[in-house]
Amino acid sequence: MKIEVLFPEYCNLFADSSNVKYLQQCLPLAEFIFTNYLSEPAFVTEKVDLIYIGAMTEDMQERVIKKLMPYKDCIKKLIEDNVTFLVTSNAIEIFGDYIENEDGSRIEALGIFNFYAKRDMMNRFNCLFRGTFEDMTIVGFKTQFTFAYSEDFKHPFIKVDKGTGMNPDTGTEGIHYKNFFGTYVIGPLLTLNPYFTRYLLKTIGVEDPKLAFEDVIIDAYDRRLKEFLDPKCNYY
């Protein structure tokens, strides 16, 4: 089993690199490929089971888009072929149509999904987050300078219960299409949500997933969920 981590030297904000560290604990026999920015992605020439990319600076977003643009068709095919993608925080914006700056200028993105992001660099938005995916409650945090917009978010990931979706007027968060999972939610996502982590492991072919430190991580999830369900919990 191969898991490719794209550009870890740059795409590592908000401690979301811990998603990968936790996967390494859960999958000690898997091969992890850490693709640096100057290298060709392994997914171009090798079969990989999971591709991960996390949060980065706004300047790096533009560079990553330029880096991945020649592989746009390859990425589309991998998604259609049910290769699993986990994309967290502002990395999700790379897969939209464009990113709009405050002055109206646009950074063209990969255009794989029909949405765009709009920046407001003078105002960072933060909130706690709670929502549902299938029969699972997803918890986490959001911190971002952008909101995402679309005429129709055709492939929602999480139904929002508390906190904010792709923008304040949208009741869904993230993109879920086939085995592509993209979300602004951080935390890190996998360590905060053990049941989703188990679900994700099944999508990459692990028949009987074993979570690292399972008792501890589920206990922590239960405690956090109890806190997030408290009516007194302030999400903003």
Side-chain angles (χ1 to χ4, degrees), residues 42-93:
F43 66 70
V44 178
T45 57
E46 301 179 40
K47 179 183 180 300
V48 297
D49 300 285
L50 169 65
I51 297 167
Y52 174 77
I53 185 168
M56 66 202 79
T57 65
E58 286 69 28
D59 178 65
M60 197 63 209
Q61 279 183 301
E62 189 166 2
R63 295 171 64 187
V64 168
I65 291 168
K66 290 179 180 178
K67 176 71 178 183
L68 293 179
M69 192 64 77
Y71 311 115
K72 173 180 174 177
D73 290 340
C74 179
I75 293 171
K76 282 185 175 181
K77 186 176 187 304
L78 290 172
I79 294 171
E80 292 297 330
D81 289 345
N82 287 307
V83 172
T84 302
F85 283 71
L86 180 60
V87 178
T88 59
S89 192
N90 64 354
I92 192 175
E93 297 168 3

Side-chain angles (χ1 to χ4, degrees), residues 12-133:
N12 57 19
L13 300 184
F14 309 128
D16 264 18
S17 57
S18 292
N19 284 314
V20 177
K21 293 177 182 177
Y22 188 59
L23 284 175
Q24 288 177 304
Q25 295 286 337
C26 295
L27 300 170
L29 299 180
E31 178 183 354
F32 283 77
I33 303 169
F34 294 89
T35 300
N36 65 57
Y37 183 79
L38 297 178
S39 299
E40 179 182 73
F43 66 70
V44 178
T45 57
E46 301 179 40
K47 179 183 180 300
V48 297
D49 300 285
L50 169 65
I51 297 167
Y52 174 77
I53 185 168
M56 66 202 79
T57 65
E58 286 69 28
D59 178 65
M60 197 63 209
Q61 279 183 301
E62 189 166 2
R63 295 171 64 187
V64 168
I65 291 168
K66 290 179 180 178
K67 176 71 178 183
L68 293 179
M69 192 64 77
Y71 311 115
K72 173 180 174 177
D73 290 340
C74 179
I75 293 171
K76 282 185 175 181
K77 186 176 187 304
L78 290 172
I79 294 171
E80 292 297 330
D81 289 345
N82 287 307
V83 172
T84 302
F85 283 71
L86 180 60
V87 178
T88 59
S89 192
N90 64 354
I92 192 175
E93 297 168 3
I94 290 166
F95 296 84
D97 291 320
Y98 61 87
I99 302 169
E100 183 177 311
N101 293 309
E102 294 94 332
D103 63 2
S105 62
R106 295 181 178 182
I107 301 165
E108 297 299 321
L110 298 180
I112 294 174
F113 297 106
N114 183 26
F115 73 94
Y116 69 94
K118 193 168 183 178
R119 289 176 177 166
D120 182 0
M121 297 300 294
M122 295 302 293
N123 294 285
R124 180 182 289 278
F125 174 79
N126 300 286
C127 76
L128 305 183
F129 179 86
R130 188 181 85 207
T132 55
F133 168 65

